[in-house]
């Protein structure tokens, strides 16, 4: 009921006029067009989707309502392209709110909608979304499988942006699985592509991935350099969610180096931003990072409070990597307090999730996926080469036939 009331209020809102000298934004222009041109057609669906995209960062409820309105109208008009784009946009919104089950259902609907239209570009974006959902939950086999399904589609359509973002996902997965050489190679390629595209948001996530990989390798100067570049870009773009992630990453790097003062400074800044924006996705990460900083200071009460809450939130969203990290912190904090029974309990939980994330089965399945992908690529290259040779042979035969005909004509 509250959603319906909010929708009606939004529909009846008279948008305030721009202040004198204030330049209209893209969102202002779209609102004006939607208000002054109320005709229910496919153009309106496109404008609703565009406005939802424009406000998605600052106003998630409004973005959700606009996409739902676009979806309803697209269905009424039997506008399959608009319906597919609307459900994919809703999947992205719910993923950002850590509602992964709903996000997955919308992504599956988008997959069916794009599949009916044989839209390979749309399907590649769906596989990217599915890869993100599983990556954020620590389901690395499924995340890599989706990325490898999307990648060939982008190669066929020439969609470099989606290909670059899939590469970033793959680089982050390889980092998590301990294949750092592959991670750095893929992420450097992705960063180069993002810079060539002049897409700052993609540059941002590529920088973040490189910083995380160097952080895992404990190469602190490189990790700090990439995270600081990412933080500066987030501030330039006004990307608060990116700024939160960067502050968390910097806090973690300083914490791993034993620099408690810098770790707490960046951690508290991240928490301030999370509270101001009600960022449910980053809240467990912030709490875990602060708990790590307090562990360095032997403030076990603060560690236990933050880590328990982070564990509770992460279990609700089934975020395996966060559950593992929270369990590890709880085990260490209880051990410091000599509560060995509790420490043993959480150490076992940590080990169980370690096995889920990085065990032999995960390694075997991801290796098989990569091998299968490379084998398919080689087969495609061989098939293309054979086809090229056949065409060249056919061309040569035609040229000989033409030459013989010409000589026969001259002889006659």
């Amino acid at each position: 009921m509250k959603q319906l009331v909010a929708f009606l209020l939004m529909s009846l809102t008279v948008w305030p006029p721009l202040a004198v000298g204030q330049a209209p934004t893209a969102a202002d222009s779209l609102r004006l067009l939607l208000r002054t041109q109320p005709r229910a057609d496919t153009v309106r669906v496109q404008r609703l989707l565009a406005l939802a995209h424009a406000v998605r960062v600052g106003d998630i409820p409004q973005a959700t309502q606009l996409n739902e309105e676009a979806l309803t109208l697209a269905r009424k008009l039997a506008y399959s392209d608009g319906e597919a784009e609307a459900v994919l946009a809703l999947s992205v919104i719910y993923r950002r709110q850590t509602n992964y089950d709903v996000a997955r259902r919308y992504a599956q609907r988008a997959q069916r909608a794009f599949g009916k239209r044989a839209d390979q570009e749309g399907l590649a974006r769906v596989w990217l979304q599915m890869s993100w959902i599983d990556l954020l939950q620590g389901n690395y086999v499924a995340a890599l499988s989706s990325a490898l399904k999307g990648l060939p589609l982008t190669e066929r359509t020439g969609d470099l942006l989606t290909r670059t973002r899939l590469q970033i996902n793959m680089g982050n997965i390889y980092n998590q699985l301990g294949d750092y050489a592959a991670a750095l190679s893929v992420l450097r390629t992705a960063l180069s592509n993002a810079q060539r595209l002049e897409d700052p948001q993609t540059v941002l996530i590529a920088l973040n991935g490189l910083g995380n990989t160097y952080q895992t390798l404990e190469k602190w100067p490189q990790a700090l350099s990439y995270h600081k570049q990412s933080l500066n870009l987030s501030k330039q773009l006004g990307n608060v969610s990116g700024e939160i992630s960067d502050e968390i990453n910097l806090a973690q790097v300083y914490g791993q180096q034993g620099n408690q003062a810098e770790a707490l400074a960046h951690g508290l800044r991240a928490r301030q931003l999370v509270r101001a924006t009600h960022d449910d996705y980053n809240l467990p990460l912030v709490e875990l990072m602060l708990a790590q900083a307090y562990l360095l200071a032997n403030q076990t009460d603060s560690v236990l409070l933050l880590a328990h809450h982070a564990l509770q939130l992460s279990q609700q969203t089934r975020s395996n990597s966060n559950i593992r990290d929270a369990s590890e912190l709880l085990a260490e904090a209880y051990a410091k307090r000599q509560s060995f029974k509790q420490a043993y309990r959480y150490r076992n939980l940590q080990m169980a999730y370690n096995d889920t994330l990085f065990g032999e089965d995960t390694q075997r399945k991801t290796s098989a996926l990569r091998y299968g992908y490379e084998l398919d690529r080689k087969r495609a290259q061989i098939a293309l080469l054979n086809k090229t040779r056949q065409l060249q042979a056919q061309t040569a035969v035609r040229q000989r036939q033409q030459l013989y005909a010409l000589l026969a004509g001259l002889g006659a």
Side-chain angles (χ1 to χ4, degrees):
M1 180 59 71
K2 289 181 180 178
Q3 287 182 338
L4 178 60
V5 171
F7 176 78
L8 291 172
L9 287 172
M10 183 196 74
S11 302
L12 297 172
T13 298
V14 178
W15 299 100
L18 293 171
V20 176
Q22 181 181 348
T25 64
D28 294 326
S29 300
L30 287 165
R31 289 187 184 108
L32 179 64
L33 287 168
L34 287 167
R35 188 174 69 247
T36 58
Q37 299 179 21
R39 184 178 174 181
D41 55 12
T42 58
V43 174
R44 184 173 182 82
V45 174
Q46 293 166 7
R47 287 170 178 166
L48 287 166
L49 290 170
L51 180 55
H53 184 76
V55 303
R56 71 195 187 285
V57 175
D59 194 340
I60 289 176
Q62 188 188 8
T64 305
Q65 291 163 354
L66 288 164
N67 280 310
E68 287 174 346
E69 185 180 351
L71 176 58
T72 301
L73 181 55
R75 282 177 176 166
K76 183 178 178 181
L77 299 170
Y79 179 30
S80 59
D81 189 21
E83 181 179 350
E85 294 292 348
V87 291
L88 181 55
L90 285 165
S91 177
V92 172
I93 286 173
Y94 282 106
R95 166 174 61 79
R96 289 176 174 168
Q97 294 177 289
T98 70
N99 195 337
Y100 299 122
D101 289 340
V102 176
R104 192 183 301 278
R105 286 199 294 272
Y106 274 113
Q108 289 166 344
R109 286 175 61 182
Q111 185 179 30
R112 291 193 293 271
F114 283 118
K116 286 179 183 177
R117 300 173 56 248
D119 185 339
Q120 293 191 344
E121 189 171 322
L123 283 169
R125 289 188 286 122
V126 172
W127 285 122
L128 172 63
Q129 170 69 351
M130 295 289 279
S131 180
W132 264 116
I133 292 168
D134 281 310
L135 176 57
L136 291 169
Q137 292 185 281
N139 301 324
Y140 300 128
V141 175
L144 183 59
S145 176
S146 294
L148 292 175
K149 287 174 183 174
L151 208 57
L153 298 177
T154 64
E155 291 167 356
R156 288 200 284 271
T157 62
D159 182 359
L160 183 58
L161 178 59
T162 302
R163 187 191 316 170
T164 302
R165 291 181 173 177
L166 284 165
Q167 288 171 333
I168 292 169
N169 269 23
M170 290 169 63
N172 288 328
I173 293 165
Y174 295 153
N175 175 35
Q176 292 295 330
L177 294 174
D179 192 345
Y180 306 119
L184 290 173
S185 176
V186 172
L187 288 167
R188 285 177 187 138
T189 300
L191 178 59
S192 176
N193 287 339
Q195 290 168 336
R196 182 152 57 95
L197 287 165
E198 297 182 354
D199 187 294
Q201 295 291 350
T202 308
V203 170
L204 193 64
I205 54 176
L207 289 170
N208 198 280
L210 283 163
N212 287 335
T213 305
Y214 280 115
Q215 182 178 338
T216 307
L217 290 167
E218 297 186 0
K219 294 187 176 181
W220 310 125
Q222 294 95 324
L224 287 171
S225 174
Y226 280 113
H227 286 321
K228 286 178 180 177
Q229 287 180 61
S230 184
L231 178 60
N232 290 335
L233 183 54
S234 292
K235 289 179 177 178
Q236 289 173 24
L237 297 172
N239 185 336
V240 179
S241 180
E243 192 177 343
I244 292 168
S245 295
D246 298 325
E247 293 285 6
I248 292 170
N249 289 330
L250 285 167
Q252 288 174 338
V253 173
Y254 283 119
Q256 287 171 301
Q257 291 179 282
N259 189 337
Q260 184 201 355
E262 285 288 350
L264 276 175
H266 287 284
L268 293 171
R269 171 62 179 158
R271 185 170 67 176
Q272 179 187 2
L273 291 170
V274 163
R275 287 177 172 174
T277 57
H278 307 287
D279 186 343
D280 293 333
Y281 168 69
N282 280 309
L283 179 57
L285 294 172
V286 169
E287 290 182 333
L288 290 172
M289 172 269 304
L290 283 172
Q292 182 67 53
Y294 286 125
L295 189 66
L296 290 171
N298 289 318
Q299 297 180 27
T300 54
D301 287 344
S302 297
V303 176
L304 294 174
L305 180 66
L306 289 162
H308 271 298
H309 190 238
L311 178 62
Q312 179 188 355
L313 294 176
S314 301
Q315 286 172 330
Q316 289 171 5
T317 58
R318 296 199 295 277
S319 178
N320 293 336
S321 55
N322 283 347
I323 294 172
R324 176 209 54 198
D325 294 343
S327 301
E328 183 177 10
L329 284 166
L330 288 167
E332 292 182 18
Y334 279 119
K336 281 180 178 285
R337 292 167 68 112
Q338 297 187 343
S339 299
F340 297 115
K341 183 178 179 180
Q342 289 285 68
Y344 179 73
R345 173 192 170 193
Y346 286 106
R347 185 64 73 190
N348 281 341
L349 184 60
Q350 178 211 343
M351 291 171 65
Y353 275 89
N354 257 341
D355 189 58
T356 299
L357 291 165
F358 313 118
E360 288 183 9
D361 188 52
T362 297
Q363 296 287 350
R364 178 178 55 78
K365 287 178 179 177
T366 52
S367 296
L369 286 170
R370 291 172 66 181
Y371 174 77
Y373 171 71
E374 292 299 333
L375 186 61
D376 288 342
R377 284 195 68 185
K378 286 176 182 176
R379 284 173 178 166
Q381 289 169 353
I382 291 169
L384 181 62
L385 181 61
N386 288 336
K387 188 173 183 180
T388 302
R389 286 174 176 169
Q390 288 173 0
L391 290 172
Q392 288 171 343
Q394 290 170 2
T395 302
V397 169
R398 283 197 302 270
Q399 288 173 343
R400 282 197 300 272
Q401 290 172 342
Q402 291 168 357
L403 178 60
Y404 294 152
L406 177 61
L407 290 173
L410 289 172

